[in-house]
Amino acid sequence: MHKPNIVVLGYSGLIGRQLIPQLIAAGFTGQVVSRSRRELPGAFEWIDSLNFIDGTFSIPVESVVLSLCKLPLTAEFSSKFAQANQLIALSSTSVFTKQSSSDPGELRLSQRLQTAEELIQATSEDLPYTILRPTIIYDAETDVSINQIAKIIRRYGFFAVAGRGSGLRQPIHAADVAAMMVQCIERDAVKNVALNISGGEPLSYRKMVERIAVGIGTKPRIVSVPVWLLKGLVSVMRILTLTKHSPNMIDRMNNDMAFDNSKAVALLEIQPRKFHPDFTHSEQ
């Protein structure tokens, strides 16, 4: 069976280094468009993103585009996908979780994601799309969110949660996101569909932190701090430019942010792994 040419937009994030080996294992070939030169296996050719932007490189006819770029940027490039047969793009569940945020930056992010999704959906008659909305993406090596918690535990020996830390989370491993993208290729059931994708189990924010501590190889030591106090501390740290986190992050420790992934699991025939991060190979 003939396999389509694959064009991957973006490579530097968590998913890129997981995606290319999976595509090759599945027998695909194609191009990777990125800003920095990449040493790629022979099955894939590196294309400078400047050549893509200025039109020197055009998407080959009947290609499938897998975009790892931020969704607003993917939507901005949509006119360049005219010859493609399918677009598989990443959005984020932040389109929902931050749509009522009091933080202007978070609210703008949600609105930009929603606008980008609508722009891509509007072109569905000419270019079938699949939008995947991951929750927290991790690899226990280079990710920001999960590794940030791990670094705090390593440095101080404990981690502070707001109140009970009862809000549900469902982190998904970067390799599982990549596998889901590969499964979307030429799968009619997911064309012109947006899917929330998440890890193999929902767990509380507190339990998530406990699993991170176990993955480091230490006994979980979690301190419950009143919400108002922790929010105040983060606000002060933000003023002092010691953190970029929003105080709203503290409220969300007790808000459910897990998403039902049953539709994605059924359509893509993939069951993502449960959250048991292993930091034994990450930087200490």
Side-chain angles (χ1 to χ4, degrees):
M1 180 178 175
H2 172 71
K3 290 182 178 292
N5 182 76
I6 303 295
V7 178
V8 178
L9 300 182
Y11 184 77
S12 60
L14 288 177
I15 300 168
R17 65 195 185 108
Q18 303 280 355
L19 180 60
I20 302 304
Q22 291 192 33
L23 287 168
I24 293 171
F28 291 104
T29 61
Q31 301 80 33
V32 174
V33 179
S34 67
R35 288 178 295 179
S36 302
R37 175 173 285 278
R38 299 289 172 180
E39 293 298 326
L40 299 168
F44 279 84
E45 174 191 7
W46 174 73
I47 302 294
D48 191 322
S49 59
L50 293 177
N51 293 338
F52 173 67
I53 293 170
D54 68 16
T56 305
F57 168 76
S58 298
I59 302 291
V61 175
E62 299 184 351
S63 292
V64 173
V65 178
L66 277 64
S67 180
L68 306 180
C69 301
K70 293 180 179 179
L71 197 71
L73 191 58
T74 302
E76 184 179 325
F77 288 150
S78 60
S79 62
K80 297 181 178 293
F81 305 151
Q83 299 187 105
N85 274 357
Q86 184 184 8
L87 169 65
I88 301 164
L90 293 179
S91 183
S92 168
T93 53
S94 292
V95 71
F96 305 120
T97 59
K98 295 178 181 177
Q99 64 182 356
S100 300
S101 176
S102 59
D103 183 290
E106 293 183 345
L107 185 59
R108 282 195 299 272
L109 171 62
S110 176
Q111 292 171 341
R112 290 182 68 211
L113 287 172
Q114 182 176 349
T115 299
E117 287 194 11
E118 291 171 353
L119 287 172
I120 289 171
Q121 290 163 355
T123 65
S124 61
E125 288 188 8
D126 299 317
L127 178 63
Y129 69 86
T130 306
I131 294 174
L132 300 180
R133 303 188 191 103
T135 53
I136 302 170
I137 305 174
Y138 74 98
D139 64 0
E141 293 183 45
T142 60
D143 67 84
V144 175
S145 54
I146 298 301
N147 259 287
Q148 184 63 36
I149 296 173
K151 287 177 181 177
I152 291 172
I153 295 172
R154 284 193 185 107
R155 178 175 296 180
Y156 301 108
F158 72 94
F159 190 85
V161 301
R164 295 173 60 190
S166 59
L168 294 179
R169 298 293 188 273
Q170 208 158 343
I172 184 168
H173 197 282
D176 291 332
V177 177
M180 288 184 159
M181 294 188 79
V182 174
Q183 284 292 93
C184 287
I185 297 172
E186 294 196 312
R187 184 173 289 244
D188 290 338
V190 296
K191 288 184 178 179
N192 297 334
V193 172
L195 296 171
N196 299 326
I197 60 174
S198 50
E201 62 176 333
L203 65 168
S204 69
Y205 189 93
R206 185 185 186 96
K207 175 62 72 173
M208 181 181 75
V209 175
E210 289 177 357
R211 295 271 184 90
I212 293 170
V214 170
I216 295 169
T218 186
K219 183 179 180 180
R221 292 181 57 202
I222 301 174
V223 179
S224 294
V225 179
V227 174
W228 64 268
L229 181 58
L230 203 52
K231 283 185 72 173
L233 177 61
V234 172
S235 297
V236 171
M237 291 176 67
R238 195 174 188 184
I239 291 171
L240 297 175
T241 67
L242 298 176
T243 183
K244 294 181 179 180
H245 291 300
S246 167
N248 289 344
M249 173 195 70
I250 305 304
D251 287 324
R252 287 197 290 269
M253 287 185 184
N254 291 288
N255 295 340
D256 289 345
M257 294 173 62
F259 288 81
D260 180 14
N261 68 356
S262 58
K263 184 177 180 180
V265 168
L267 291 177
L268 298 176
E269 301 178 23
I270 290 181
Q271 178 59 60
R273 71 199 71 186
K274 294 183 178 181
F275 185 66
H276 292 284
D278 179 2
F279 295 88
T280 56
H281 301 295
S282 60
E283 185 178 341
Q284 300 297 313

